[in-house]
Amino acid sequence: MRTVDTLRSVLRFRSIETDPVERRLARAASVEDLRRIARRRLPGGVFDYIDGGAEDERTLAANRAAFATTGFRPRVLRGLAKVDTETAILGRPVPYPLVLAPTGFTRIADPEGELAVARAAARAGVPYTLSTLSTRSIEEVRAVSDGRLWFQVYAWRDRGLVREMVERAAAAGYEALVLTVDTAVLGRRERDVRRGFSLPPTIGPGTLVDGVLHPGWTWAFVRSEPIRFANVVGREVGDGAAPVTLADYINTQFDPELSWADVDWLRSVWDGPLVLKGVQAVEDAVIAVEHGVEAVALSNHGGRQLDGAPAAFSLVAPVADAVGDRIELICDGGVRRGSDIAKAVAAGATVAMAGRAYLYGLGAAGERGVDRVLDWLRTDLVRTMSLLGAGTVADLDRTLLDLR
Ligand code: GLV
């Protein structure tokens, strides 16, 4: 009798979840869990394109390691009734210090692609940066979002095309331009080289087995409209109707001669704020101030360009010391948790920027996966600030970090 009573007191059966997406989400407690689920769901080539970095992936690992090896110095007994994560970026409020990074070809992770990410970002109130190499166009993304949208610019050799895209972004009410400056040529992503990965992905002898082993993804991929570089559909630069390797595309279409004069040119054709993404040295951040840009994103393109480049987080303090408050700083690379955002801001960044984190959510569970990631990043940040004794974003400073 006692056994039955004891058992009755402890046995709990969870109701069975019939929705497969919810089932997947219920098993995940962190972005890293969603990464593992995405790895199972996506074909190997697609997962590796998202997950991988350049050459030996040292910079990819360094981005994460820089956060992992920096501890906190929490303060206690500060009588905090509540934590306020609101701050501002580019002069407008944001509910917590985060911006979503541009990522190319987002529809390979989920057919809704950029539309899903833009909707989730608008719900969370954080800006979303649409990539030039997006698989939904500037206008399609604006049509589903009344949130803050930024547009990432690559320097096409054809500057007329850049100008046209800038005008389209302005007409669609995009708030800022984000010029990527770390891609003179494409970094050598050896996972993609080994797999012969192309964009859009092809299904052929080499990838057929991969496709069959990932039926959920393959079925969704073949049922949705073809993946195209949506901003240049029908243009002679190539819109992905014929699959290409990213290296061939970027190395033939983008201009390696990009210079500070082009930054001034972009300024002259765009009235709004300008962000330079891919600054990796204190000296360049100082030059950016002289050229009057509003913000720099300290970024090594998620470890996908120059292997051996410094971890983004390691640049924050020295750059902040050099530029003061003359320019806003965005820390891009390796952000997986709200505690990473807290570290970036405490070191001197205005906001953090995350790309892979939301792509893992998208690949694992579609739009709801992105919602989940954004919610975790926010609630993690609230908890971290609470445990640090920091009641506001302004309270996050270097005294709270163990920057040995
Ligand atoms: C595109 O910008 C990429 O990093 O793959």
Side-chain angles (χ1 to χ4, degrees), residues 49 102-105 131 133 152 154 183 186 189 192 199 246 250 301 304-305:
Y49 169 68
T103 56
F105 318 104
S131 166
L133 293 178
Q152 178 264 341
Y154 271 126
T183 310
L186 196 76
R189 292 109 188 237
D192 299 348
L199 289 157
L246 189 58
I250 286 195
H301 212 120
R304 298 160 76 79
Q305 286 295 98

Side-chain angles (χ1 to χ4, degrees), residues 22-40:
E22 289 304 321
R23 237 187 355 253
R24 258 177 264 141
L25 282 172
R27 285 199 305 268
S30 66
V31 170
E32 182 56 30
D33 288 347
L34 292 178
R35 174 178 176 272
R36 271 191 291 271
I37 295 172
R39 173 177 237 153
R40 274 203 307 275

Side-chain angles (χ1 to χ4, degrees), residues 279-334:
V279 169
Q280 299 163 76
V282 172
E283 295 89 327
D284 282 337
V286 171
I287 302 175
V289 174
E290 287 157 13
H291 284 260
V293 305
E294 278 73 11
V296 292
L298 302 170
S299 171
N300 46 49
H301 212 120
R304 298 160 76 79
Q305 286 295 98
L306 177 66
D307 200 26
F313 175 61
S314 72
L315 289 167
V316 173
V319 170
D321 288 343
V323 300
D325 55 12
R326 290 178 294 164
I327 197 168
E328 294 190 317
L329 295 183
I330 300 172
C331 174
D332 170 54

Side-chain angles (χ1 to χ4, degrees), residues 54-79:
E55 299 178 21
D56 294 309
E57 302 192 339
R58 293 202 174 106
T59 294
L60 176 72
N63 279 345
R64 296 282 308 121
F67 284 120
T69 55
T70 301
F72 287 117
R73 297 180 64 252
R75 300 298 305 276
V76 296
L77 298 172
R78 285 193 155 179

